[in-house]
Amino acid sequence: MFNNSQENGRAGQRCKVNKHLIIAGHIIGASLYQFRSQLLAWYEARARELPWRKNRDPYRVWLSEIMLQQTRVAAVVEHYHEFQRRFPDVKKLSAAREASVLAAWSGLGYYRRARMLHAAARIVAQKHGGKFPRTAQELRMLPGIGRYTAAAIASIAFGEPVAVVDGNVERVIQRITGNPLRGEKLWTEANGWLDRQRPGDFNQAMMELGAVVCTPRAPACLTCPVVHLCATRGELATGKKAAPRKKREAHYALNYRTNGRGCEVFLKRRSIQSSLMAGMWELPEIDDLSQVRSGGNAEPCLTVRHSITVTDYTVRVWRTSAPRSKGKWIPVEGLNNMALTGLARKILRKAGVIP
DNA sequence: AAGCCGGGGGA
DNA sequence: TCCCCAGGCTT
């Protein structure tokens, strides 16, 4: 297993050849100190300025971590400030109605996250006196907080020495070691690498490296602070299978009227039983296009593209004279506080109904 | 272990 | 057009 460490008899080569720092697929000894200090130095110098890095308030850290689950940083940044403005602390969040929490979440997707966030806020407020548990083990008990998120909050907000493993960390470790570690072995490896003096910074630095430098495709090895310690320099055996995407066309009705109460839009609420976007509000879907065409519409007033799970939709929006389905007239001023689906919000924006 | 949940932006 | 993202929960 150590056969690659002595292929050249000269000891002076030891630190020049990266493979010698990786033994049997693990980073070892002195190179680990190097790795930590160089990664942390890079992070201090180059880390992106993100809203949740302003301080270590556990509420802010928690909110960012929930939002960031399977969601890109850019999308989170767009929602983060407004969410903070509406719900400045865990107590305010716990006192809010679920509908208003969902409204602030609109467009982020995975709406169950918002419900679990709200439920967790109520538990923190009622059972923990408004203070967050300070250990990963206790945080894990809250809804919506799994192994990754518990470790992230505990390390970043409270300095507990626990490593995180997300998609970024997995990729970084696999590339550095050249070892396709997965599952429990990956978590063990990450914990071995962790800088126990600065666990929060270290964890964020690992994820930052994966997000900014050690990207899935075309990693920027030229700017990587630990490239000299890397066994693969960008190679990665991928075991991921790409889910095939379907294409579909969908039609929605835009009903818009002005009366004594001002401008109103006709919306309907998705079933609370629905697996997809349960309880969220949207425009009525049109099943039978012939009815709209016979109503005098030759062309849709709007066409948008929309991706949802594994389906890419081409969405046509039709102005219709009267709603044919059950639903509710909503004043446009109230739309900001409605739990709209991302698609509904997109359509209403493009149509100029909301800013 | 595998399936499910939203949405968007870059390559 | 395709791919992938600071995961958690259920079965």
Side-chain angles (χ1 to χ4, degrees):
Chain A
M1 69 198 289
F2 299 110
N3 59 345
N4 65 349
S5 62
Q6 293 296 331
E7 62 194 10
N8 181 324
R10 288 178 297 161
Q13 294 282 320
R14 186 160 45 85
C15 292
K16 271 176 70 178
V17 183
N18 63 74
K19 282 200 173 72
H20 295 175
L21 302 170
I22 308 290
I23 303 298
H26 296 274
I27 190 168
I28 55 151
S31 52
L32 200 45
Y33 291 93
Q34 249 186 67
F35 178 85
R36 291 180 186 132
S37 69
Q38 286 164 6
L39 177 68
L40 284 168
W42 169 82
Y43 180 71
E44 287 167 25
R46 302 291 177 83
R48 292 168 293 180
E49 285 186 23
L50 299 172
W52 47 91
R53 289 179 177 163
K54 233 176 62 182
N55 60 46
R56 299 183 168 197
D57 174 11
Y59 175 72
R60 296 173 62 92
V61 174
W62 170 57
L63 177 61
S64 72
E65 289 300 339
I66 301 297
M67 283 188 172
L68 285 163
Q69 290 168 3
Q70 297 293 295
T71 306
R72 295 188 178 278
V73 166
V76 172
V77 170
E78 287 178 19
H79 285 78
Y80 191 75
H81 286 117
E82 176 62 11
F83 200 98
Q84 281 270 341
R85 194 187 65 72
R86 291 199 202 187
F87 314 108
D89 54 53
V90 69
K91 192 164 179 150
K92 293 269 176 49
L93 180 57
S94 72
R97 289 178 305 114
E98 187 184 86
S100 60
V101 177
L102 285 169
W105 203 268
S106 171
L108 273 177
Y110 290 114
Y111 296 101
R112 201 171 49 146
R113 287 185 296 173
R115 294 192 166 91
M116 291 190 292
L117 183 88
H118 189 225
R122 297 201 154 163
I123 293 172
V124 171
Q126 291 165 15
K127 298 192 176 169
H128 299 274
K131 298 284 188 187
F132 278 88
R134 298 175 64 89
T135 67
Q137 191 180 353
E138 297 169 285
L139 286 161
R140 190 75 200 271
M141 308 301 295
L142 294 169
I145 298 184
R147 187 170 183 179
Y148 161 80
T149 306
I153 300 170
S155 63
I156 297 170
F158 301 119
E160 184 182 351
V162 284
V164 300
V165 173
D166 72 339
N168 290 311
V169 175
E170 176 174 343
R171 188 172 56 256
V172 168
I173 289 180
Q174 288 177 349
R175 283 210 177 116
I176 296 266
T177 62
N179 188 355
L181 291 169
R182 288 172 53 239
E184 196 55 43
K185 289 185 172 140
L186 187 59
W187 284 88
T188 302
E189 188 73 11
N191 267 309
W193 293 22
L194 181 68
D195 186 314
R196 303 179 74 81
Q197 317 305 318
R198 301 174 57 187
D201 287 342
F202 181 88
N203 282 334
Q204 291 190 85
M206 287 286 282
M207 294 189 281
E208 185 86 357
L209 188 70
V212 175
V213 174
C214 197
T215 52
R217 291 170 301 187
C221 298
L222 284 177
T223 63
C224 179
V226 291
V227 65
H228 58 290
L229 296 171
C230 185
T232 68
R233 309 210 172 165
E235 298 299 322
L236 181 62
T238 59
K240 301 273 187 178
K241 60 233 168 194
R245 293 195 69 101
K246 302 168 199 159
K247 277 180 287 189
R248 276 195 54 194
E249 196 171 56
H251 301 271
Y252 288 89
L254 178 58
N255 272 286
Y256 188 79
R257 75 180 184 191
T258 303
N259 61 19
R261 291 190 297 276
C263 300
E264 298 177 324
V265 181
F266 192 79
L267 298 178
K268 62 186 299 188
R269 189 170 184 236
R270 296 176 63 85
S271 164
I272 194 70
Q273 313 286 357
S274 169
S275 64
L276 210 62
M277 297 170 282
M280 305 291 285
W281 290 80
E282 61 184 357
L283 275 61
E285 187 168 4
I286 299 168
D287 302 318
D288 185 2
L289 201 57
S290 64
Q291 293 193 356
V292 181
R293 290 197 191 277
S294 66
N297 279 311
E299 299 294 331
C301 66
L302 195 63
T303 299
V304 302
R305 293 195 302 113
H306 194 66
S307 299
I308 194 81
T309 60
V310 296
T311 309
D312 292 328
Y313 286 95
T314 301
V315 176
R316 317 271 183 205
V317 182
W318 303 80
R319 279 302 294 269
T320 53
S321 53
R324 299 173 185 278
S325 55
K326 287 201 300 183
K328 197 173 169 185
W329 286 101
I330 307 293
V332 293
E333 312 84 58
L335 290 173
N336 280 336
N337 297 316
M338 294 291 293
L340 301 175
T341 65
L343 175 57
R345 191 169 293 284
K346 187 195 284 186
I347 291 172
L348 291 171
R349 265 209 265 266
K350 281 211 173 195
V353 177
I354 56 178

